Each structure stands twice: as C-alpha cells, then as structure tokens.
Amino acid sequence: MKLSLNWVKDYIDLPDDFDLAKLSYDLTMSTVEVESAENLSEKFEKMIVGEIISVTQHPKADKLKICQVNIGNSVKQIVCGGTNLFSGMKVVVALPGALVKWHGEGELVKISETQLRGVDSYGMLCASSEIGLSELFPSGSEGEIMDLSDLNAGAGIDLSVALNLNDVILEIDNKSMTNRPDL
C-alpha cells in the first residue's frame, strides 16, 4: 500500500527536521514494515513554472520556435519544437541540470545550455511525457508542450510545489496490516 506523508501530517505533528530514514525505521519496528520511501519532488529538481512572453519562428528550422520565457527572476531564451506554443502560456521549464526523457522515451537526459541550429537555448520546455506526468496531463498530439495556463502559480515556482507533488510516498507492506486488526 502506498501512503502519502502529507496525508500522515494531517493527523500527526511531525517535526520540520524529521529524518525520513528514522521515521521508516521506527514505523517498521513498531507497527508496519516500510518497504520504501520515495520523495516525489526529487523527480522534478530544477524544473519550474515558466511563462512564455513571445514566440518567433526559428530562422533556420521550420519546426523550431524561439521563445522568450519568464522564469521568475529573469527572462531566458529557449528553442522549442512544441506545436501549441503561445504568448502568455504557462509551461514546465527544465533548467540546466534537470533530468528528462527526450520525447518521453529512453534514458534520462541531463539538460544543459546549448545551441540549436545556431540559436542559444537555456533549458527546455517540456511535454508531460518527458517528465513522467502523461497520466495526469495527457497530451492531445505529439509535440504538444504541457500547458499549465490554468494553474494558479507564478513564473519561477518549483514544479513540485505548483502541482502539489512535494510529498514523500511510503510503501507499506500489506501483509503486516492484514494480520493486525488494530491497524
């Protein structure tokens, strides 16, 4: 069974500086066996909400666009092949150092500042499949960038905070619960 630590915090006051390893150990020794603990926000390190300020055609590529994107503390230029880009759109920005699946397939790729056909690009605008959120945010077509425009989050906010994915999921062994009627 999977259990949200945020949900547990609704019922139990945990200190701000608690140790997850110690909590898992204490739960295993006193009540139920904790098989694993996954910090969801780690998947979204160096990913933030950005807001597209402008979109222009790439001078050397028909399928690429040059976007000026507000990332909270500055405006950065990002080259993107997304098909649904528009000015004012809120998007997921993978900053240099973030790990994504290129086009949603294969191994994780580390994003870096680069040049695409002679134009500087700082980071990447992401589709939901590239960051593992295609079940929550299904795309209508290939090449569609994840649209966060309906989200009430400003540019520069960490993606895990904006999507309320800053949680730890504890995986509890069901055997120990089914044999304990008090649980």
Side-chain angles (χ1 to χ4, degrees), residues 58-75:
H58 192 294
K60 297 180 182 175
D62 293 339
K63 293 185 178 182
L64 295 178
K65 306 278 191 287
I66 302 170
C67 301
Q68 300 300 320
V69 183
N70 176 0
I71 62 167
N73 56 359
S74 63
V75 174

Side-chain angles (χ1 to χ4, degrees), residues 87-122:
S87 186
M89 179 181 184
K90 289 183 184 176
V91 293
V92 176
V93 177
L95 300 172
L99 297 172
V100 302
K101 285 192 174 188
W102 192 253
H103 297 287
E105 298 175 1
E107 298 295 318
L108 292 173
V109 176
K110 190 173 190 176
I111 299 301
S112 61
E113 290 184 57
T114 189
Q115 279 193 349
L116 294 169
R117 300 223 179 158
V119 176
D120 291 337
S121 183
Y122 180 86

Side-chain angles (χ1 to χ4, degrees), residues 11-149:
Y11 297 95
I12 299 170
D13 290 326
L14 294 173
D16 292 333
D17 62 342
F18 80 96
D19 180 11
L20 183 58
K22 182 171 177 2
L23 175 67
S24 296
Y25 176 80
D26 289 347
L27 282 171
T28 298
M29 292 295 114
S30 63
T31 54
V32 295
E33 184 178 343
V34 177
E35 293 181 343
S36 66
E38 177 186 14
N39 186 342
L40 293 180
S41 61
E42 288 177 354
K43 293 179 185 178
F44 307 107
E45 280 186 29
K46 298 190 182 276
M47 292 184 201
I48 61 170
V49 175
E51 185 174 353
I52 297 176
I53 295 172
S54 67
V55 180
T56 57
Q57 184 62 46
H58 192 294
K60 297 180 182 175
D62 293 339
K63 293 185 178 182
L64 295 178
K65 306 278 191 287
I66 302 170
C67 301
Q68 300 300 320
V69 183
N70 176 0
I71 62 167
N73 56 359
S74 63
V75 174
K76 296 291 184 181
Q77 178 173 279
I78 300 176
V79 178
C80 182
T83 58
N84 60 327
L85 303 172
F86 60 90
S87 186
M89 179 181 184
K90 289 183 184 176
V91 293
V92 176
V93 177
L95 300 172
L99 297 172
V100 302
K101 285 192 174 188
W102 192 253
H103 297 287
E105 298 175 1
E107 298 295 318
L108 292 173
V109 176
K110 190 173 190 176
I111 299 301
S112 61
E113 290 184 57
T114 189
Q115 279 193 349
L116 294 169
R117 300 223 179 158
V119 176
D120 291 337
S121 183
Y122 180 86
M124 175 179 167
L125 305 184
C126 299
S128 59
S129 63
E130 294 171 322
I131 58 173
L133 293 177
S134 54
E135 288 185 21
L136 292 175
F137 296 91
S139 62
S141 65
E142 189 176 330
E144 190 175 284
I145 297 301
M146 191 168 146
D147 188 353
L148 300 176
S149 297

